Amino acid sequence: MINGAAGGAGTFAIQLAKLAGAEVTGVERTGKLDFMRSLGADHVIDYNREDFTKSGTRYNLILDVIAHRSVFAYARALSPNGSYFFVGGSVATMLQIVLRGPWIRRTGAKKLRMLVVQPNLNDMVLMAELYESGTVVPVIDRRYPLSEVPEAIRYLGEGRARGKVVITLDNDMNRSGT
Ligand SMILES: NC(=O)c1ccc[n+]([C@@H]2O[C@H](COP(=O)([O-])OP(=O)(O)OC[C@H]3O[C@@H](n4cnc5c(N)ncnc54)[C@H](OP(=O)(O)O)[C@@H]3O)[C@@H](O)[C@H]2O)c1
């Protein structure tokens, strides 16, 4: 399960999870459900219609790029041996993961923690190979020249972006494309 799966981090997460053989559920707003399916998501949830932590479905692994619920809500959505990883979200949730995550780990087999990735050469080489072979595709919604950074941030803030919004140093580059 990937919460916030149509954004900059989530579009990679869907593709890499499918590559690893996972059955993937993506959570996003209504207008992005087909987009998640097009990247390989097997199931999609509209966060405006359903709270995945209350549906009764239990997930083996949750990757959360937009965490804002209580740590107990996330623990409820995990299978008995499941793991929850916080990638981004509210400071309140982050603090709960850091302070209460270890306690939840001690009282059962569920794991809730922050995802901290140390960039390394092996991973970079692997990702480059996946891009070159077309196995993983970086999804770029729009490109903006450096002079239009405020507009790019405004666009991102409107919540319509799918994948990455990129700042280029070349004013002549086309604005849109994947
Ligand atoms: N640890 C790391 O290595 C790492 C790497 C990359 C990013 N991050 C962090 O991860 C976070 C996300 O980065 P990003 O680049 O993926 O951001 P992003 O492109 O803004 O993606 C976030 C996605 O979540 C959606 N969303 C908003 N509210 C939601 C909700 N309640 N439920 C489900 N989805 C919701 C947004 O769509 P709408 O706005 O349309 O609803 C958007 O598509 C940031 O905090 C960033 O710092 C961490």
Side-chain angles (χ1 to χ4, degrees):
M1 125 80 61
I2 302 160
N3 190 37
T11 46
F12 286 107
I14 292 179
Q15 296 180 75
L16 291 171
K18 286 307 297 176
L19 200 58
E23 182 178 348
V24 176
T25 300
V27 182
E28 274 283 354
R29 72 166 71 201
T30 321
K32 296 182 179 178
L33 304 184
D34 282 341
F35 174 63
M36 289 191 291
R37 287 191 190 98
S38 75
L39 291 172
D42 301 287
H43 314 282
V44 294
I45 295 174
D46 180 346
Y47 69 72
N48 287 315
R49 290 171 180 265
E50 184 180 332
D51 179 342
F52 75 86
T53 65
K54 293 181 179 165
S55 68
T57 306
R58 302 282 177 265
Y59 298 96
N60 297 325
L61 193 150
I62 299 175
L63 187 76
D64 199 347
V65 307
I66 191 88
H68 62 278
R69 295 180 176 84
S70 99
V71 71
F72 299 109
Y74 293 125
R76 191 171 57 228
L78 284 175
S79 61
N81 296 310
S83 297
Y84 169 93
F85 289 98
F86 175 104
V87 178
S90 78
V91 174
T93 301
M94 186 178 74
L95 288 175
Q96 282 193 18
I97 298 292
V98 171
L99 298 173
R100 291 181 171 160
W103 178 77
I104 290 174
R105 281 203 295 277
R106 275 201 300 276
T107 56
K110 295 181 181 180
K111 299 177 193 66
L112 291 95
R113 56 176 62 137
M114 306 260 304
L115 179 64
V116 181
V117 178
Q118 193 70 43
N120 64 77
L121 186 61
N122 287 344
D123 285 351
M124 292 296 167
V125 169
L126 173 65
M127 287 308 299
E129 286 171 0
L130 293 174
Y131 295 145
E132 279 173 5
S133 64
T135 310
V136 170
V137 180
V139 181
I140 298 173
D141 183 309
R142 287 190 183 185
R143 296 176 171 85
Y144 289 87
L146 192 59
S147 58
E148 293 181 21
V149 165
E151 196 178 319
I153 292 175
R154 208 172 299 122
Y155 178 68
L156 202 60
E158 288 169 2
R160 288 185 289 129
R162 292 154 195 228
K164 297 280 185 190
V165 172
V166 172
I167 306 301
T168 69
L169 299 179
D170 179 356
N171 286 338
D172 296 325
M173 285 194 78
N174 196 341
R175 269 277 197 81
S176 59
T178 300

Coordinates of all heavy atoms in Angstrom, one line a residue, residues 3-10 27-29 32 47 65-66 68 87-89 115 117 156 159-161 163-164, ligand 1:
N3 N 0.6 5.3 0.2 CA -0.3 6.5 0.5 C 0.3 7.7 -0.1 O 1.4 8.1 0.2 CB -0.5 6.6 2.0 CG -1.6 7.6 2.3 OD1 -2.6 7.7 1.6 ND2 -1.4 8.4 3.3
G4 N -0.4 8.3 -1.1 CA 0.2 9.5 -1.9 C 0.9 9.0 -3.1 O 2.0 9.5 -3.4
A5 N 0.4 8.0 -3.7 CA 1.1 7.2 -4.7 C 1.3 7.9 -6.1 O 2.0 7.4 -6.9 CB 0.4 5.8 -4.9
A6 N 0.6 9.0 -6.3 CA 0.7 9.6 -7.7 C 1.6 10.8 -7.7 O 1.7 11.5 -8.7 CB -0.7 10.1 -8.1
G7 N 2.3 11.0 -6.6 CA 3.2 12.1 -6.5 C 4.7 11.8 -6.9 O 4.9 10.7 -7.5
G8 N 5.6 12.7 -6.6 CA 7.0 12.5 -7.1 C 7.6 11.3 -6.5 O 8.3 10.5 -7.3
A9 N 7.4 10.9 -5.3 CA 8.0 9.7 -4.7 C 7.1 8.5 -5.0 O 7.6 7.4 -5.4 CB 8.1 9.9 -3.2
G10 N 5.8 8.7 -5.0 CA 4.9 7.6 -5.1 C 4.9 6.9 -6.5 O 4.8 5.7 -6.6
V27 N -3.2 5.1 -2.9 CA -4.2 6.0 -2.3 C -3.9 7.4 -2.8 O -2.8 7.9 -2.8 CB -4.2 6.0 -0.8 CG1 -5.3 6.9 -0.2 CG2 -4.3 4.6 -0.2
E28 N -5.0 8.0 -3.4 CA -4.9 9.4 -3.9 C -6.3 10.0 -4.0 O -7.3 9.4 -3.7 CB -4.2 9.4 -5.3 CG -2.7 9.4 -5.2 CD -2.1 10.8 -4.9 OE1 -2.9 11.8 -4.9 OE2 -0.9 10.9 -4.8
R29 N -6.3 11.2 -4.5 CA -7.7 11.9 -4.7 C -8.3 11.3 -6.0 O -7.7 10.7 -6.9 CB -7.5 13.4 -4.8 CG -6.9 13.8 -6.1 CD -7.0 15.3 -6.2 NE -6.3 16.1 -5.3 CZ -6.6 17.4 -5.0 NH1 -7.6 18.0 -5.5 NH2 -5.8 18.1 -4.2
K32 N -6.9 11.1 -9.7 CA -5.6 10.5 -10.0 C -5.7 8.9 -9.9 O -4.6 8.3 -10.0 CB -4.6 11.0 -9.0 CG -4.3 12.5 -9.1 CD -3.2 12.9 -8.1 CE -3.0 14.4 -8.2 NZ -2.0 14.9 -7.2
Y47 N -8.9 8.9 -1.4 CA -8.9 9.3 0.0 C -10.0 10.2 0.4 O -10.3 10.4 1.6 CB -7.5 9.9 0.4 CG -7.2 11.3 -0.2 CD1 -7.8 12.4 0.2 CD2 -6.2 11.4 -1.1 CE1 -7.5 13.7 -0.3 CE2 -5.8 12.6 -1.7 CZ -6.5 13.7 -1.2 OH -6.1 15.0 -1.8
V65 N 3.9 8.6 2.0 CA 4.6 9.8 1.7 C 3.9 11.1 2.2 O 4.4 12.2 2.1 CB 4.9 10.0 0.2 CG1 5.6 8.7 -0.3 CG2 3.7 10.2 -0.6
I66 N 2.7 10.9 2.8 CA 1.9 12.0 3.2 C 1.1 11.7 4.5 O -0.1 11.9 4.6 CB 0.9 12.4 2.0 CG1 0.2 13.8 2.2 CG2 0.0 11.3 1.6 CD1 1.0 14.9 1.7
H68 N -0.5 11.7 8.1 CA -1.1 12.7 8.9 C -2.0 12.1 10.0 O -2.6 12.8 10.7 CB -1.8 13.8 8.1 CG -3.0 13.2 7.4 ND1 -2.8 12.5 6.2 CD2 -4.3 13.1 7.7 CE1 -4.0 12.1 5.7 NE2 -4.9 12.5 6.6
V87 N 7.6 8.2 5.1 CA 8.5 8.9 4.2 C 8.4 10.4 4.3 O 9.4 11.1 4.3 CB 8.3 8.5 2.7 CG1 9.2 9.2 1.7 CG2 8.4 7.0 2.6
G88 N 7.2 10.9 4.4 CA 6.9 12.3 4.5 C 5.6 12.6 5.1 O 4.7 11.7 5.1
G89 N 5.3 13.8 5.6 CA 4.0 14.1 6.2 C 4.1 15.0 7.4 O 5.1 15.8 7.4
L115 N 11.5 5.9 7.2 CA 12.3 5.4 6.1 C 13.5 6.3 5.9 O 13.3 7.5 5.5 CB 11.6 5.2 4.8 CG 12.4 4.6 3.7 CD1 12.9 3.2 4.0 CD2 11.6 4.6 2.4
V117 N 16.9 6.6 3.9 CA 17.7 6.0 2.8 C 19.0 6.7 2.7 O 19.1 7.9 2.5 CB 16.9 6.0 1.5 CG1 17.8 5.3 0.4 CG2 15.6 5.2 1.7
L156 N 2.3 23.1 -8.3 CA 2.5 21.9 -7.4 C 1.5 22.1 -6.2 O 0.8 21.1 -5.8 CB 3.9 21.9 -6.9 CG 4.4 20.6 -6.3 CD1 4.4 19.5 -7.4 CD2 5.9 20.8 -5.8
G159 N -2.2 20.9 -6.2 CA -2.5 19.5 -6.0 C -2.9 18.7 -7.3 O -3.4 17.7 -7.2
R160 N -2.6 19.3 -8.5 CA -2.9 18.6 -9.7 C -1.8 17.8 -10.3 O -2.0 17.1 -11.2 CB -3.5 19.6 -10.7 CG -4.9 20.2 -10.3 CD -5.4 21.0 -11.4 NE -4.7 22.3 -11.5 CZ -4.3 22.8 -12.6 NH1 -4.4 22.1 -13.8 NH2 -3.6 24.0 -12.7
A161 N -0.6 18.1 -9.8 CA 0.6 17.5 -10.5 C 0.6 15.9 -10.3 O 0.2 15.4 -9.3 CB 1.9 18.0 -9.8
G163 N 3.3 12.9 -10.6 CA 4.7 12.6 -10.8 C 5.5 13.9 -10.4 O 5.1 14.7 -9.5
K164 N 6.6 14.1 -11.2 CA 7.5 15.2 -10.9 C 7.2 16.5 -11.6 O 6.8 16.5 -12.8 CB 8.9 14.8 -11.2 CG 9.5 13.7 -10.4 CD 9.9 14.1 -9.1 CE 10.6 12.9 -8.3 NZ 10.8 13.2 -6.9
Ligands
LIG1 N1 12.8 10.1 2.6 C1 13.0 10.3 1.3 O1 14.0 9.7 0.7 C2 12.1 11.1 0.5 C3 12.3 11.1 -0.9 C4 11.4 11.9 -1.6 C5 10.4 12.6 -0.9 N2 10.3 12.5 0.4 C6 9.2 13.2 1.2 O2 8.0 12.6 0.8 C7 7.0 13.5 0.8 C8 6.3 13.5 -0.5 O3 7.1 13.9 -1.5 P1 6.6 13.9 -3.0 O4 7.7 14.5 -3.8 O5 6.1 12.5 -3.4 O6 5.4 14.9 -2.9 P2 4.2 15.1 -3.9 O7 4.7 15.0 -5.3 O8 3.5 16.3 -3.5 O9 3.2 13.8 -3.7 C9 2.4 13.7 -2.6 C10 1.1 13.1 -3.1 O10 0.2 12.8 -2.0 C11 -1.1 13.2 -2.4 N3 -1.9 13.5 -1.2 C12 -2.2 14.7 -0.6 N4 -3.0 14.4 0.5 C13 -3.2 13.1 0.6 C14 -3.9 12.3 1.4 N5 -4.6 12.8 2.5 N6 -4.0 10.9 1.2 C15 -3.3 10.4 0.1 N7 -2.6 11.2 -0.8 C16 -2.5 12.5 -0.5 C17 -0.9 14.5 -3.3 O11 -2.0 14.7 -4.1 P3 -3.0 15.9 -3.9 O12 -2.3 17.1 -3.4 O13 -3.6 16.1 -5.3 O14 -4.1 15.4 -3.0 C18 0.3 14.1 -4.1 O15 0.0 13.4 -5.3 C19 7.6 14.9 1.1 O16 7.5 15.2 2.5 C20 9.1 14.7 0.8 O17 9.9 15.5 1.6 C21 11.1 11.8 1.1

